[in-house]
Structure formats: structure tokens, C-alpha cells
Amino acid sequence: MTEEPDTDESKSRAGIQSIEVGFRLLQVLAAAPRAMMLRDLAAAADMPPAKAHRYLVSFQRLGTVVQDPVSGRYDLGPFALQLGLAGLNRLDPLRKARPLLSQLRDELDHTAGIAVWGNQGPTIVHWEASSHPVTVSLRLGDVMPMLNSATGRLYGAYLSRRQTLPMIERELALRGASAGHMSLTDYDAICAEVRAQGAARTLGGVLPGINAISVPVFDATGHLALALIVLGAESVFDAEWGGAVDRRVRDIAQRISSELGYLGGTPPADTAGPSRTC
């Protein structure tokens, strides 16, 4: 066996193995739905109970782990909570999403974008054009319509009605006299379908001949942080649910959501559900 030279680089990679071993206990506790007995915790961390106990004693002294004096079960302590909150406070959804949006554009070769909720509605804040960019009139700062854009429908489905109703009613009034009349009940049904699919799509909605898919990114509280958008010409854009575009956009959205602390599950009642009438 050839011994690795003792260089500055090898020293920087060496680390402290005991910290890495003990950290497995914290990872298990973080993933567990409730406090754990020593034997179960040790087994999940793949170490003998006696060894796990020594680490847990030190973690208790540091406030990273606590032990219930009655049941003897172990759980995350107050300092673990402080670390988690400090990490969440430093998270920037846009900073997390931008590099992955470039990756998404490169993989799919479709134009990709990010929208966030602004004072006037869903607002485009970042674009990544494909190698065969679609001819669009959208610009950074443009507000997407609530009724017939994938992104507008996504925000209509996942934001509270008190936030979205003024924009929805304004657009419904403008369309009332046109051939494309839509009622609030019609829009409610669209919102319900968006939530059922976990994403929104339009086939030539805002832009004739252009398909679009918009997927939600959630924060640690389960609230909608931003929307990922991918669009392209109907002739080359696969807008089928479960298709290559849909699957990849969802993968990226789930990755960003996970990095923002979202653990999955149903969004809070104030962002979706019957109470919204949508």
C-alpha cells in the first residue's frame, strides 16, 4: 500500500473521524419522527449501544441532544434547534435556484425561468434562454397573468385567496365580455387540477404555439417560495405529465425545496385546500 504524502491538501481532507462517526447519531435523530431509545438509535446509526452512549453523553453536554428522564428516549436538543433556525435564516431561494436553473436549461435545451410573487402578481425575476430561444415578448419584471399562464395558475393554486383574489377578479372582469369568458368557478376547477398534479401547464396559453410547465418550490414551512418555469415551441416541447420535461423540472424543484428545508407533505391549510374556494 502506498502511503499518501503528508501535504497541505491531504491534511485539509483528513478531518476528525470521531466527529463524523458521532454525527451519524444526529442524522438519525433529525430524520426520526419522534424521540428514540438508545438501542434503536444505535442500530440505525450502525454502532454498538455502548459506543453510541458515549457520544450521546457529550452531545447532551453541548445541548445538541436531550434525554427524557422518564422514558430514557433521546431527541434533538435546543442547540440543534438553534443551528437549524440559523441555517434557515441564511437561506436565499433565488440563490439556490439560479445555478440549478442553468443546469435545467442545458439538460432540456428549453428556455427556463423563475417567478416570485410580487405586488402585482407572479413576477419573472430570472431567465435562461435555450440554444433555440422561443420568440417571446416577456422580460424580467413582467407579471404573468393569473388566468391563462402556467405560472399564474400555480400561484392561484398554492397561495391564499386573500392574496390572489384581486388579480383574479381583475382579469375575470377584463375577459367577461370576450369570447374567452371564464368564471371564478371555472378557475377554481383549474386550481384544483393544479394541486392534484402538483404542477401547472399551458398549451399555447399566453403565447400561441408555446407550451409551458410551472412547478412549485416550497420553503421549510411548506409555503410557496418560487415557481420554476420551462417553456418551448409546441413542435419540440413535451408537455405530457410524466414526460421528460415534467419529470426533470419536478426533480430540480424538489431538490431546491429540500435545500430550503422542506420535508414534503401537504402544504399548510392557508396555502391550499377548500378554505380557499380554489
Side-chain angles (χ1 to χ4, degrees):
M1 178 182 297
T2 302
E3 185 174 340
E4 181 177 322
D6 190 16
T7 63
D8 289 341
E9 183 180 357
S10 65
K11 290 178 181 178
S12 67
R13 294 200 308 265
I16 301 175
Q17 187 177 15
S18 62
I19 292 179
E20 297 173 11
V21 171
F23 188 74
R24 296 206 304 265
L25 295 165
L26 299 180
Q27 289 177 306
V28 170
L29 284 174
R34 59 186 65 85
M36 301 178 68
M37 296 297 293
L38 174 61
R39 62 176 182 275
D40 299 323
L41 178 54
D46 193 25
M47 68 176 68
K51 181 177 182 179
H53 181 261
R54 291 196 298 272
Y55 280 106
L56 291 170
V57 168
S58 293
F59 285 147
Q60 287 181 82
R61 291 172 181 164
L62 297 172
T64 312
V65 168
V66 293
Q67 183 182 27
D68 187 286
V70 177
S71 68
R73 295 176 181 269
Y74 291 91
D75 206 347
L76 294 174
F79 185 63
L81 176 60
Q82 292 173 27
L83 283 176
L85 292 175
L88 289 175
N89 289 334
R90 288 171 170 79
L91 289 178
D92 180 350
L94 285 176
R95 182 171 58 84
K96 293 285 186 183
R98 286 191 184 102
L100 293 176
L101 191 74
S102 299
Q103 176 183 331
L104 184 64
R105 184 273 317 273
D106 293 342
E107 291 180 5
L108 299 176
D109 201 15
H110 288 309
T111 296
I114 299 171
V116 300
W117 185 255
N119 292 335
Q120 301 301 315
T123 306
I124 303 298
V125 294
H126 191 71
W127 271 125
E128 294 282 352
S130 68
S131 64
H132 46 84
V134 294
T135 302
V136 298
S137 59
L138 296 176
R139 301 178 303 274
L140 295 181
D142 280 354
V143 177
M144 303 301 291
M146 296 296 297
L147 301 187
N148 64 336
S149 74
T151 303
R153 292 174 176 181
L154 190 80
Y155 275 95
Y158 284 106
L159 284 192
S160 65
R161 182 50 61 89
R162 65 178 178 274
Q163 290 177 274
T164 60
L165 187 59
M167 292 78 170
I168 295 169
E169 288 183 330
R170 182 171 63 242
E171 292 184 30
L172 287 172
L174 290 174
R175 293 184 60 163
S178 70
H181 174 69
M182 178 188 294
S183 69
L184 185 58
T185 300
D186 295 331
Y187 191 69
D188 289 348
I190 292 173
C191 290
E193 176 66 15
V194 169
R195 289 194 299 274
Q197 293 291 346
R201 68 178 177 182
T202 52
L203 309 177
V206 178
L207 305 165
I210 301 298
N211 292 343
I213 290 179
S214 187
V215 179
V217 170
F218 297 107
D219 63 18
T221 66
H223 292 84
L224 186 60
L226 54 85
L228 293 185
I229 314 158
V230 179
L231 56 82
E234 287 178 322
S235 59
V236 296
F237 190 96
D238 175 14
E240 290 297 318
W241 296 131
V245 174
D246 176 51
R247 292 197 310 271
R248 193 63 187 123
V249 182
R250 289 178 193 263
D251 287 344
I252 295 295
Q254 289 171 3
R255 178 176 169 183
I256 299 170
S257 296
S258 178
E259 291 183 2
L260 293 176
Y262 180 58
L263 299 178
T266 304
D270 64 340
T271 59
S275 63
R276 302 174 60 262
T277 69
C278 176

